[in-house]
Amino acid sequence: MAGERRRAWHRFAAGGLGEMFAVSFSHPADVLKVRLQLTGECDSSLRTLRLRDMTAVARKLAVEEGPRGLYAGITAAWLRQAVFGTLRHGLYGVLESCGQVDGGPVPLLWRLQAGLAAGVVAAVVANPTDVVLIRMQSDAGWAPQHRRLYRHAVHGLTRVLHEEGWKALYRGVGPTTARAALVTMSQLATYEEVKSRALAAGAVEGVRLHLSCAMASATVACLATQPVDCVKTRIINMQQTCGISYAGPLDVIRKTLATEGILAFYKGLSATFLRLWPHTVLLWLGQEFVGARLRAWER
């Protein structure tokens, strides 16, 4: 039993550290994704983004704002992954192990259920960090008088709590939880399923196998999560005193469909691939490395 507890602990530690490592490189693409998701919000003339629209947003971010803009909210990103990444990978590992009978393979359906449960729990706990993260990433898009100007993640959490109350820390928890469930199911279940099948077919454990499984995991996750991620971004970014306001996730969907059409939910898909695809690959390579070091350390 002690060995099992150590292995469970490995998943928590390796998952959190792997996510924090990956987000350090993928964060600029995440900022770009958020800015694109907010471009043309409820504007019927921008139902889809053209190449020049995306280029203009990217140029403003990279040239006008520079490193400060590209890494806006990085402290919130690290804090989010320390909470969300640690919990979802660790809980998934614990739940997945419950589906293994007599050393046999874990059924895909069980892996999907484990990903769903782990994603939901982790998202609810980490939602306050998501609120601060999106606000810091999108702050430069507001007029100067409406900017929130959070200095770092803890300052943002404190400001939200004092100025808006604890309920504001859970704004967007519905779409955030739905996205987390989808991303955990798609990322983790796909990776573990592809890896287990490859090993059963005679593949050799190593970087090449890990990279192939990570690429499959990243592709599935990008396509599965984009629409929900767009809804989450818009509802968390809104301000009651200016701009567009929503009554809830369903209101975001209704207004977006009425003004921009269904393809609006895929605004920022290119940036999602630019961010989530390498992020997923890096997190798995990082997690496998940390896990191997922990196992070697225990011997």
Side-chain angles (χ1 to χ4, degrees):
M1 292 297 292
E4 289 299 322
R5 283 195 294 272
R6 284 195 294 271
R7 282 195 291 275
W9 176 76
H10 288 179
R11 293 293 292 262
F12 282 94
L17 290 171
E19 294 276 13
M20 292 175 73
F21 167 73
V23 82
S24 299
F25 297 94
S26 65
H27 188 74
D30 194 36
V31 177
L32 176 60
K33 177 207 70 177
V34 167
R35 300 287 181 86
L36 289 172
Q37 288 174 336
L38 295 170
T39 300
E41 187 174 11
C42 289
D43 183 349
S44 59
S45 66
L46 279 174
R47 296 172 69 88
T48 58
L49 297 181
R50 294 157 295 189
L51 179 59
R52 67 168 176 262
D53 299 319
M54 294 185 283
T55 302
V57 174
R59 183 183 296 112
K60 180 180 184 299
L61 179 61
V63 177
E64 296 182 22
E65 298 179 45
R68 183 183 295 274
L70 290 169
Y71 276 90
I74 186 62
T75 58
W78 284 329
L79 180 59
R80 176 182 180 271
Q81 295 301 350
V83 179
F84 176 69
T86 299
L87 283 176
R88 77 179 182 118
H89 284 278
L91 291 174
Y92 176 84
V94 171
L95 295 172
E96 184 195 41
S97 66
C98 296
Q100 191 171 40
V101 180
D102 299 328
V106 179
L108 176 58
L109 180 59
W110 185 273
R111 285 196 168 107
L112 292 172
Q113 292 172 332
L116 173 65
V120 167
V121 173
V124 171
V125 175
N127 197 80
T129 63
D130 253 310
V131 170
V132 174
L133 172 61
I134 288 178
R135 290 182 174 191
M136 292 180 74
Q137 290 175 323
S138 62
D139 209 33
W142 291 101
Q145 67 272 23
H146 295 305
R147 292 176 186 171
R148 295 176 170 106
L149 302 176
Y150 300 154
R151 293 194 299 273
H152 48 72
V154 176
H155 179 240
L157 289 169
T158 304
R159 283 267 309 275
V160 175
L161 187 61
H162 287 173
E163 296 173 9
E164 304 172 61
W166 68 269
K167 289 185 179 179
L169 292 172
Y170 281 89
R171 179 182 292 176
V173 68
T176 298
T177 302
R179 180 195 178 276
L182 285 172
V183 77
T184 304
M185 289 170 65
S186 56
Q187 274 184 339
L188 275 64
T190 299
Y191 185 87
E192 298 294 351
E193 182 72 12
V194 172
K195 183 180 177 182
S196 66
R197 287 180 180 272
L199 290 172
V204 179
E205 184 85 43
V207 175
R208 183 177 297 180
L209 174 63
H210 301 159
L211 183 59
S212 300
C213 297
M215 290 165 65
S217 169
T219 302
V220 174
C222 288
L223 295 174
T225 60
Q226 175 63 20
V228 178
D229 195 47
C230 183
V231 174
K232 181 192 82 167
T233 295
R234 291 186 171 194
I235 197 168
I236 289 177
N237 179 64
M238 72 175 183
Q239 296 192 41
Q240 300 294 345
T241 57
C242 61
I244 299 165
S245 295
Y246 303 103
L250 292 179
D251 193 36
V252 177
I253 296 172
R254 182 182 64 80
K255 288 180 178 177
T256 301
L257 284 173
T259 56
E260 301 168 75
I262 193 168
L263 291 180
F265 295 107
Y266 282 91
K267 282 183 175 179
L269 180 61
S270 57
T272 295
F273 267 96
L274 186 63
R275 178 257 172 188
L276 188 57
W277 205 90
H279 177 96
T280 302
V281 171
L282 287 171
L283 87 83
W284 283 120
L285 295 180
Q287 179 169 313
E288 293 282 7
F289 175 81
V290 173
R293 299 287 78 76
L294 289 173
R295 289 191 294 273
W297 175 71
E298 274 193 345
R299 296 193 185 105

